[in-house]
Amino acid sequence: MLTIEQLLGFLFAAVLITASPGPDNLMVLGMGVSKGRRQGMAFGLGCALGCLSHTALAAIGVSALIAASPWAFTALKVCGGLYLIWLGVKALRSRGGAHVGDASQADDSLLRLFLKGVFANAINPKVVLFFLSFLPQFVVPAQGHVAAQTAALGLVFTLQAAVLFGLLGYFAGAVGQWMQRKPRAGLWLDRIAGAVFVALGLRLIVSR
């Protein structure tokens, strides 16, 4: 279904994007610091599994576009590429400032925190747009089974996010202290992620 080149290229980009400072991983980090390892891991796993809803939408939408018109798929790729470039420019211009938020306002159970993570990610329209922009560039229509390719890529993204968010929740205390000691670390992670976004966006636009 997926070639090794597809899988490795997608996994490399997905890990870089997931590891860069953003609302999801900073919330996971804050949850782990303020409430503990298990709470941080529960919320992080919920955030990761929320990606499955976006994967389903992307698989249905991309396969429908290709079936309807190759030109429509090309238009989606160009628009998606421009969106990724815009995200990249924003990250490159960022001054950092990522900080660990306080997530101690409620004493929730592990299940409640997990469901909060799922819900927060599943209803985020920016994540929907990101998936529709990010996944199609790794789909190869000539290989067939477009919906299955898209679903497999989304599943890979979800699994690596679950691993990274789980580790982040578990090591939240140490990571939080490191970020406090090295405030510019978030800045450089933003720079790396920004460069990846721009490169992926350009690749998406020029590829056919």
Side-chain angles (χ1 to χ4, degrees):
M1 186 187 304
L2 297 179
T3 66
I4 296 297
E5 292 78 9
Q6 264 182 299
L7 180 60
L8 293 180
F10 177 79
L11 187 59
F12 175 75
V15 169
L16 278 180
I17 290 167
T18 304
S20 64
D24 283 347
N25 50 21
L26 289 178
M27 284 193 295
V28 173
L29 187 57
M31 195 72 68
V33 169
S34 64
K35 292 190 173 186
R37 287 176 171 175
R38 293 192 303 164
Q39 288 78 2
M41 292 174 69
F43 184 78
L45 291 175
C47 287
L49 291 183
C51 295
L52 293 177
S53 62
H54 308 307
T55 297
L57 290 174
I60 295 170
V62 171
S63 58
L65 276 178
I66 292 179
S69 169
W71 288 104
F73 181 62
T74 299
L76 173 66
K77 292 179 69 175
V78 170
C79 291
L82 293 174
Y83 177 66
L84 291 177
I85 291 172
W86 178 72
L87 290 177
V89 171
K90 282 184 62 178
L92 289 171
R93 296 179 63 184
S94 168
R95 297 183 179 180
H99 63 279
V100 180
D102 180 11
S104 58
Q105 66 272 19
D107 186 18
D108 293 325
S109 66
L110 294 180
L111 177 60
R112 188 176 178 86
L113 288 172
F114 172 80
L115 294 176
K116 276 188 174 182
V118 173
F119 186 71
N121 191 292
I123 66 171
N124 190 340
K126 291 184 178 179
V127 182
V128 177
L129 185 57
F130 172 75
F131 265 60
L132 285 174
S133 303
F134 184 59
L135 297 185
Q137 69 175 293
F138 293 94
V139 172
V140 182
Q143 292 177 192
H145 306 290
V146 170
Q149 286 187 62
T150 307
L153 291 170
L155 182 59
V156 169
F157 190 96
T158 299
L159 291 175
Q160 63 85 31
V163 171
L164 290 184
F165 284 169
L167 290 173
L168 185 59
Y170 186 83
F171 294 106
V175 174
Q177 292 175 5
W178 178 76
M179 289 186 68
Q180 295 298 328
R181 292 196 307 267
K182 299 182 180 295
R184 292 183 62 83
L187 174 65
W188 283 106
L189 284 172
D190 272 343
R191 296 291 185 269
I192 295 172
V196 170
F197 275 129
V198 171
L200 290 175
L202 290 173
R203 176 174 178 261
L204 185 56
I205 291 173
V206 301
S207 65
R208 292 290 182 269

